[in-house]
Amino acid sequence: MHIKYESFIREPLVEGNKDYHQVSEDIVAPIEGKPGRMWYVGFFFSIILLCFGIFSVSWSVYWGLGTWGVNRTIGWGWDITNFVWWIGIGHAGTLISAILLLFRQGWRTGVNRAAEAMTIFAVMCAGQFPIWHMGRVWDGFFVLPYPNTRGPLWPNFDSPLLWDVFAISTYFTVSLLFWYSGLIPDFALIRDRAKTKLRKMLYGVASFGWTGTAKNWQRQEALALVLAGLSTPLVLSVHTIVSFDFATSVIPGWHTTIFPPYFVAGAVFSGFAMVNTLLVLTRKILHLEEYITIGHLEAMNKIIVLTGSIVGVAYLTELFIAWYSQSWGEMAAFQWRILGPYWWSYWAMMTCNVVSPQLFWVKKLRRNVPFTFVMSIVVNIGMWFERFVIIVTSTYRDWIPGSWSYYSPQWTEVGFYLGTFGLFFTCYFLFAKYFPVIAISEIKFVLKTSGRNFKEKMNHIEEMSAESFYHIAEASHHDDHDDTHGDDTHGTHDTHHKEEKTLVDSIMHPFNDEHLIEGATVVEHLLSPIVETKTETIEEVSHEVKQEEVITVAPIVTPVEEIPVVEAKEGTTETNFVVETDDTKVEEIKESTDEVVVKETTVDGGAEDRDLPSNSPIVDNTLPTTDTEKKGDDIAD
Amino acid sequence: MNDRFVIPGRLKNMSRAFISIGVLTLIMGIIFFLTKNNNIDKTRFWAVLLQDSVFFTMITAVSIFIQAAANLAHGSWIVAYRRVPEAIGANVWVFGTIASVILLIIVFVFRVGPEHVNPIYEWVTPGNDKILNGKSAFLNQGMYLGFTLVTVALWSYFGRKFRSMSIAQQSAPKNDTKIFWKVFRLSGLFLLVYALTQMSTAPWLWIMSIQAHWYSTLFSWYTFASSFVSGMSLILLWVVYLKNQGNLELVTKEHMHDLGKFMFAFSIFWTYLWFSQYMLIWYANIPDETVYFKLRQQGPYSIIFYSNFIINFFMPILILMARPSKRNYFTVTFMAMIIIFGHWLDFYQMIMPGPLGSDWQIGFYEIGIFIGFAGVLIYCVSKTLAKTNLIPENNLFLKETMIHIS
């Protein structure tokens, strides 16, 4: 059993007075209710934009790419600018879900779902540009390397443009899997709460028959870790390969070795800006301020100032090395970039990306919601200009002055870009309506360490001396880790025995206050902080367990007084317990509760907030122990 | 909670022996190389000192960086052994000072041949070289002196400051946050300093300007990655050592696992930057740029070039990939040593091909000087470690680190 504690210095991740049930209620509310007027208005505009985009693209395909403003000198214009821009935005989702997961950043739970959705939609938008940029789009299959009838003609594997095809499709697939596997338990929760048949059926299908068994959770968490491992290199690889589109060339301004990591930093930068744009609106419209707190926005603003500064260092490095190289091509490229006819784009980029994010060094501004919103848009404008600067201002002053050119987009290109906004927001509006925008099960995972009401109860731990806390931690540690500790620690157990008993009690039961779990009884008083379980099934389960006589309850928390701990993930109508016996034999007792489903549809799928009967057999120490909250890798041990 | 480290006699003797070896090697170097009338020998004498002093300065400075990063990210994982990076960081001034002396002697004093050229930093005596003269606004002795002194001074200041603030927290009122937030702000400031030194100017001046014609925008970040992964390995070695002495009671396998993950992940990160730099230069095939790799990959350094890649990429990725290996004291210790050696080699191949060309060798001198520096490190860091309680009492994350799960 892991002690639920975190330092008071950390801000709560969930505000207000919450229990598991309330979390489900709050996050599922938008799905179960009718959308507000704002939603319809927004959705309508998105559809209009999407239609205009489809029209513009159709026009370009029908009349050919001559309708675009690109020319022989400036072969890439808004199309590739927008492509890189959207791909960059897509990076925040994977960074949050993969890298922040590996770094154990608890705050990711509030924002990961929306960020991952954003990733998927952004990649969808990005993918449009290379596809329609082909011009003869019906030849698009040519990028696929399959045994063909074209003789020796294969896709050019030496070309980074082709690597892009593989990188982005892999990225899209993995992101989608990651996102969806996280959604499954939440879909099951919605299914179990559903009051209409249709909703029940649809979410039932979407949840792949999730029943919430320990096995389900174990597999789901193992999958999450594997996908996190796969996604981590993908965070780097995708934008690295996008940067190769430019950097493998010999064009001054494109060919520079810093491009790969600097593109990745820039992508994370713009991705977080877009997450901020979306979440500032989402939290307001869906009333989720208690889950996407100011602290969350501040954390993202910190990442913005960090990545913005990394990008700034890269800009200055590029500029400096262009001079340092003493290569006239490099020097000229940067001169034309900064002082040429496109000077405004360079300075827009510098101001938006490097200068203005520095304001986030000020804590007050990081925590200011309107300012965050404005900055998030400023950063995205800046990042758009970055790509424009790289693409257009590196090419418009060619080697031969006779081919020098200037480029302005035509309406078809603008329409195409607006159309991708339509696509993006259409998807996002649908997502916000039909999907839980916050990962419910993950919020529950951090609730008892990081929820405000739970943190308030940790004061007595803060006042405790480090030494006493250490003994308690050690005691609880010994039970589920086989790590060896020095002999000293064993010795101290005896001497501190009595003193510890009270400490252990107080530390393990800090949360047993009445208004959280109503009608507390003596049993509850002992168990309430760590028990969430299903009333109806407890008796039967423990009964069965007794009959089979497989159980020797592992000592849970304290070597002094063995309090069995029961934890069941809520969110489903099926109750399962894993029984851990001494020789770590795991038995699963499944309780199909079809009838209960019918009974419970009017309440909440999760019965976590229900009372325990005072005559529950919990009183004797025969209750099975579950520890579904352990991370997957621990279970894998 | 009290956890004092008493320097064992063996460690003391070992560090003294190492330092003696280093000093002896230096004296032998002076006799065999410096006094001889052979330019290559003289160059080798200084280049090796340059390599080791810069390497040790950079890998110890990583300890300041990781403290700053953890402070900013509210990382509690490091708290169980944060006295180790504190002690290493507080000694950056030692290596910084040694490095400054060596670097400045090379730039200001060291000349060879009848034309009095500087064989390590060509740009000091550029002659009629048009490109080097073009760079002289940056590559000149004044700039070099200024950047070097400022860099070393700032690193030394922050290294000592972080440690003293952390110790001040020990006697602060219980759960007092004043120092915490002060350190937090200082950490932000340090990142800025670090970005303008380690992540840009310092490697340009100290290392990249050795082959002064060649340039790569990624070079400083690459050097940072190389230092970072070896710096984390260095912290790990100390943690394991202290653990073996019966100290650092709070450190469990969870904490070791974290350090193991850092070594694993940042070895791959280093490879990523290595590949980015190499691949882009190879692909574009511009002679101005490929000259760097031609000398290393196809020239006399090919053995080092390939070992660099095998030691620093294949070994960590294959050996540290599995979870149990990151929780095994032997494996992580072994890998930490390998990684430090590998990146020392990496620094070697960044620095030597310019001045030494095909006349390189790793002999008694290279090894002896390295041992000398290691002796200084062991001596200084163990002394600093012994001065305070190894458990950062009253640290706001102390309790979190006790229940930390990797």
Side-chain angles (χ1 to χ4, degrees):
Chain A
M1 179 62 206
H2 201 61
I3 295 171
K4 293 205 176 302
Y5 160 77
E6 72 173 24
S7 174
F8 70 96
I9 202 95
R10 293 186 201 278
E11 243 179 290
L13 294 175
V14 180
E15 290 287 351
N17 191 12
K18 303 287 180 201
D19 57 20
Y20 286 167
H21 177 62
Q22 194 56 43
V23 172
S24 314
E25 284 289 324
D26 290 348
I27 300 174
V28 180
I31 300 171
E32 291 176 342
K34 276 232 176 319
R37 178 191 300 230
M38 285 297 289
W39 188 88
Y40 285 108
V41 174
F43 189 65
F44 176 74
F45 275 108
S46 310
I47 294 280
I48 299 265
L49 277 179
L50 179 59
C51 291
F52 182 56
I54 293 172
F55 175 72
S56 308
V57 171
S58 311
W59 188 275
S60 315
V61 173
Y62 186 78
W63 293 106
L65 292 194
T67 54
W68 289 6
V70 287
N71 54 46
R72 234 185 303 176
T73 307
I74 304 158
W76 284 349
W78 270 44
D79 46 4
I80 303 300
T81 303
N82 297 333
F83 158 70
V84 182
W85 187 74
W86 275 120
I87 281 283
I89 283 171
H91 268 63
T94 342
L95 184 98
I96 291 174
S97 47
I99 293 189
L100 296 187
L101 174 76
L102 296 178
F103 276 123
R104 307 282 185 265
Q105 294 291 303
W107 61 272
R108 63 181 275 287
T109 51
V111 298
N112 64 344
R113 175 66 50 72
E116 288 168 26
M118 181 204 76
T119 291
I120 289 157
F121 306 148
V123 174
M124 278 159 56
C125 293
Q128 303 306 315
F129 290 96
I131 291 174
W132 300 107
H133 190 215
M134 288 183 202
R136 297 188 180 91
V137 73
W138 46 90
D139 284 338
F141 67 90
F142 206 88
V143 298
L144 302 174
Y146 64 97
N148 59 56
T149 52
R150 300 189 293 265
L153 271 184
W154 281 80
N156 182 4
F157 289 109
D158 288 348
S159 165
L161 299 179
L162 185 74
W163 308 342
D164 256 352
V165 175
F166 303 133
I168 291 166
S169 47
T170 312
Y171 184 63
F172 181 72
T173 314
V174 174
S175 305
L176 191 68
L177 282 176
F178 208 162
W179 182 62
Y180 200 84
S181 65
L183 271 165
I184 289 174
D186 290 355
F187 279 153
L189 174 72
I190 301 169
R191 172 198 67 195
D192 296 339
R193 293 167 51 104
K195 292 185 188 113
T196 66
K197 267 206 165 135
L198 181 70
R199 185 183 296 161
K200 193 167 190 61
M201 191 192 84
L202 291 177
Y203 284 102
V205 171
S207 61
F208 290 171
W210 174 273
T211 49
T213 59
K215 204 75 192 163
N216 277 173
W217 282 107
Q218 185 194 334
R219 287 189 179 128
Q220 202 252 4
E221 283 176 353
L223 177 67
L225 273 181
V226 170
L227 286 175
L230 279 176
S231 309
T232 305
L234 281 177
V235 175
L236 295 168
S237 76
V238 176
H239 230 62
T240 295
I241 287 172
V242 170
S243 81
F244 284 172
D245 291 345
F246 307 102
T248 49
S249 71
V250 291
I251 295 174
W254 283 10
H255 174 69
T256 179
T257 47
I258 209 169
F259 257 32
Y262 137 60
F263 263 51
V264 172
V268 172
F269 181 52
S270 67
F272 271 87
M274 191 56 124
V275 174
N276 265 350
T277 312
L278 293 176
L279 287 187
V280 165
L281 295 175
T282 307
R283 71 196 281 273
K284 181 89 194 142
I285 292 170
L286 301 183
H287 309 294
L288 293 173
E289 284 99 336
E290 288 176 325
Y291 298 95
I292 304 168
T293 63
I294 304 284
H296 285 88
L297 296 182
E298 192 192 2
M300 291 193 283
N301 285 336
K302 281 180 190 164
I303 295 195
I304 287 179
V305 67
L306 173 72
T307 47
S309 306
I310 294 177
V311 165
V313 171
Y315 290 161
L316 296 177
T317 300
E318 260 191 302
L319 193 59
F320 172 78
I321 298 287
W323 167 81
Y324 179 89
S325 73
Q326 289 289 308
S327 144
W328 62 266
E330 288 283 336
M331 288 196 279
F334 278 85
Q335 208 175 340
W336 283 117
R337 186 178 275 189
I338 296 167
L339 302 168
Y342 277 118
W343 62 271
W344 45 271
S345 64
Y346 184 82
W347 291 107
M349 165 187 101
M350 271 296 190
T351 320
C352 296
N353 286 354
V354 184
V355 182
S356 57
Q358 302 304 325
L359 291 169
F360 277 144
W361 286 100
V362 183
K363 185 167 184 171
K364 270 207 179 115
L365 294 177
R366 283 200 301 267
R367 300 179 70 86
N368 181 322
V369 180
F371 184 77
T372 300
F373 185 72
V374 171
M375 273 307 299
S376 71
I377 292 180
V378 167
V379 167
N380 267 319
I381 293 174
M383 284 309 288
W384 189 89
F385 271 111
E386 181 198 295
R387 280 61 180 257
F388 183 81
V389 164
I390 290 170
I391 292 169
V392 175
T393 70
S394 299
T395 52
Y396 81 119
R397 287 298 177 254
D398 210 341
W399 300 98
I400 307 165
S403 60
W404 287 5
S405 181
Y406 196 83
Y407 158 80
S408 315
Q410 301 301 305
W411 71 267
T412 37
E413 293 166 276
V414 179
F416 189 2
Y417 185 42
L418 293 178
T420 51
F421 273 105
L423 176 63
F424 182 81
F425 281 105
T426 304
C427 292
Y428 193 79
F429 274 113
L430 289 174
F431 161 74
K433 171 66 190 81
Y434 293 107
F435 288 46
V437 289
I438 293 174
I440 304 171
S441 56
E442 292 190 43
I443 287 288
K444 287 175 184 168
F445 183 73
V446 298
L447 184 66
K448 290 193 172 177
T449 32
S450 308
R452 177 172 288 282
N453 47 331
F454 290 97
K455 285 197 68 141
E456 277 165 5
K457 306 280 162 22
M458 287 174 193
N459 284 339
H460 71 289
I461 302 185
E462 294 296 353
E463 278 149 26
M464 192 180 286
S465 80
E467 201 156 11
S468 341
F469 182 81
Y470 183 57
H471 294 310
I472 293 161
E474 279 292 275
S476 73
H477 229 65
H478 274 295
D479 301 327
D480 34 65
H481 294 284
D482 52 353
D483 284 340
T484 45
H485 297 281
D487 283 344
D488 289 3
T489 49
H490 290 291
T492 46
H493 284 318
D494 303 324
T495 46
H496 292 277
H497 228 120
K498 272 193 182 151
E499 189 187 328
E500 255 176 49
K501 180 175 161 13
T502 45
L503 282 169
V504 168
D505 278 351
S506 67
I507 202 163
M508 294 316 296
H509 310 298
F511 311 130
N512 48 1
D513 68 338
E514 255 65 354
H515 62 269
L516 263 178
I517 296 146
E518 286 167 13
T521 63
V522 183
V523 178
E524 269 190 273
H525 187 74
L526 282 166
L527 295 169
S528 55
I530 33 185
V531 172
E532 296 81 41
T533 183
K534 305 271 158 65
T535 323
E536 287 86 351
T537 47
I538 279 174
E539 281 188 48
E540 294 165 65
V541 171
S542 48
H543 183 62
E544 260 184 61
V545 168
K546 258 193 233 163
Q547 277 184 335
E548 289 179 23
E549 289 184 343
V550 286
I551 190 154
T552 337
V553 175
I556 311 304
V557 181
T558 137
V560 185
E561 186 186 11
E562 292 180 3
I563 304 166
V565 181
V566 178
E567 293 200 28
K569 280 268 184 176
E570 67 90 34
T572 63
T573 47
E574 219 168 328
T575 312
N576 298 272
F577 292 101
V578 171
V579 182
E580 275 184 21
T581 53
D582 260 355
D583 52 355
T584 66
K585 193 169 110 194
V586 175
E587 274 210 13
E588 210 178 302
I589 295 129
K590 244 187 174 178
E591 276 279 308
S592 181
T593 51
D594 282 343
E595 307 95 313
V596 184
V597 176
V598 185
K599 246 195 309 183
E600 283 192 353
T601 40
T602 48
V603 203
D604 180 10
E608 75 291 306
D609 45 343
R610 219 74 57 67
D611 298 345
L612 285 172
S614 51
N615 60 347
S616 156
I618 290 175
V619 194
D620 60 40
N621 286 350
T622 48
L623 237 213
T625 314
T626 62
D627 200 350
T628 43
E629 294 203 12
K630 275 189 174 185
K631 293 301 292 180
D633 52 356
D634 281 356
I635 292 168
D637 274 352
Chain B
M1 300 179 91
N2 207 0
D3 182 13
R4 302 296 294 216
F5 170 60
V6 184
I7 309 175
R10 268 185 67 191
L11 190 75
K12 225 180 239 171
N13 292 340
M14 191 174 96
S15 63
R16 282 183 188 145
F18 277 17
I19 294 173
S20 318
I21 293 174
V23 172
L24 206 69
T25 315
L26 192 70
I27 294 168
M28 279 160 68
I30 293 172
I31 296 167
F32 291 127
F33 303 142
L34 208 53
T35 52
K36 288 278 164 63
N37 209 6
N38 180 337
N39 292 349
I40 291 293
D41 280 347
K42 281 183 186 168
T43 310
R44 180 176 166 202
F45 177 85
W46 287 112
V48 169
L49 286 176
L50 182 150
Q51 180 218 349
D52 281 304
S53 62
V54 168
F55 178 69
F56 275 89
T57 310
M58 283 182 175
I59 70 168
T60 47
V62 163
S63 285
I64 314 174
F65 171 72
I66 192 68
Q67 285 177 66
N71 290 339
L72 286 173
H74 290 186
S76 58
W77 53 274
I78 201 173
V79 173
Y81 49 90
R82 67 170 294 142
R83 287 283 180 259
V84 173
E86 278 167 15
I88 300 173
N91 283 303
V92 169
W93 71 272
V94 177
F95 296 102
T97 312
I98 299 174
S100 315
V101 171
I102 292 170
L103 292 171
L104 295 179
I105 290 178
I106 293 174
V107 168
F108 285 94
V109 184
F110 182 47
R111 304 282 184 277
V112 294
E115 286 103 37
H116 279 275
V117 293
N118 188 321
I120 294 179
Y121 293 116
E122 255 187 292
W123 51 265
V124 176
T125 46
N128 299 326
D129 192 313
K130 207 176 144 206
I131 288 178
L132 292 187
N133 283 319
K135 297 184 186 198
S136 64
F138 179 68
L139 291 185
N140 61 60
Q141 289 166 322
M143 278 279 182
Y144 195 96
L145 174 77
F147 271 107
T148 304
L149 293 184
V150 169
T151 301
V152 169
L154 284 171
W155 288 1
S156 311
Y157 170 77
F158 278 99
R160 295 176 65 86
K161 189 74 186 168
F162 281 158
R163 179 164 179 274
S164 66
M165 300 274 262
S166 173
I167 289 167
Q169 175 73 22
Q170 231 161 281
S171 45
K174 194 172 165 60
N175 290 342
D176 187 40
T177 57
K178 220 174 106 191
I179 295 179
F180 178 86
W181 290 113
K182 209 174 158 195
V183 174
F184 186 82
R185 282 192 293 274
L186 269 181
S187 303
L189 200 62
F190 179 74
L191 281 203
L192 211 64
V193 168
Y194 202 65
L196 296 177
T197 51
Q198 174 72 66
M199 307 283 274
S200 50
T201 52
W204 289 340
L205 280 168
W206 293 346
I207 307 176
M208 195 169 88
S209 76
I210 289 174
Q211 269 181 297
H213 283 254
W214 182 79
Y215 54 89
S216 165
T217 40
L218 190 52
F219 190 80
S220 295
W221 292 12
Y222 170 78
T223 314
F224 158 73
S226 194
S227 320
F228 185 74
V229 68
S230 10
M232 290 309 285
S233 309
L234 181 65
I235 294 174
L236 183 134
L237 286 182
W238 275 105
V239 173
V240 171
Y241 178 76
L242 291 173
K243 193 84 187 139
N244 274 341
Q245 297 300 312
N247 296 103
L248 293 181
E249 192 190 346
L250 299 187
V251 174
T252 64
K253 282 192 177 169
E254 304 295 333
H255 299 94
M256 299 310 295
H257 192 174
D258 276 341
L259 282 168
K261 283 195 273 195
F262 263 99
M263 295 197 313
F264 172 71
F266 282 86
S267 287
I268 295 170
F269 180 71
W270 170 87
T271 316
Y272 166 63
L273 295 184
W274 182 94
F275 177 76
S276 300
Q277 183 166 275
Y278 175 80
M279 186 271 193
L280 288 175
I281 288 175
W282 170 82
Y283 199 109
N285 205 10
I286 300 172
D288 295 5
E289 295 177 356
T290 48
V291 60
Y292 183 82
F293 286 111
K294 196 152 177 54
L295 186 58
R296 283 161 179 78
Q297 189 184 3
Q298 295 170 357
Y301 290 86
S302 62
I303 175 125
I304 294 186
F305 179 85
Y306 290 109
S307 343
N308 182 24
F309 196 69
I310 291 165
I311 295 173
N312 292 330
F313 174 60
F314 285 115
M315 289 188 70
I317 197 176
L318 294 179
I319 295 174
L320 289 175
M321 172 106 63
R323 177 184 146 96
S325 64
K326 292 190 282 271
R327 299 169 80 89
N328 180 305
Y329 281 79
F330 173 77
T331 328
V332 286
T333 311
F334 172 73
M335 281 313 295
M337 288 176 175
I338 288 287
I339 286 173
I340 291 175
F341 170 70
H343 288 280
W344 179 83
L345 215 57
D346 190 20
F347 270 68
Y348 187 87
Q349 63 94 37
M350 284 189 233
I351 290 168
M352 299 305 169
L356 292 183
S358 55
D359 295 311
W360 68 275
Q361 51 178 306
I362 295 181
F364 82 94
Y365 184 63
E366 282 74 10
I367 294 164
I369 294 292
F370 177 80
I371 290 176
F373 272 95
V376 175
L377 183 93
I378 294 169
Y379 181 78
C380 296
V381 174
S382 61
K383 236 177 141 177
T384 314
L385 279 172
K387 277 185 194 154
T388 48
N389 185 358
L390 287 183
I391 292 172
E393 195 99 57
N394 211 10
N395 185 300
L396 300 180
F397 291 128
L398 184 60
K399 286 171 192 156
E400 269 192 34
T401 205
M402 291 173 183
I403 53 170
H404 173 71
I405 285 189
S406 172

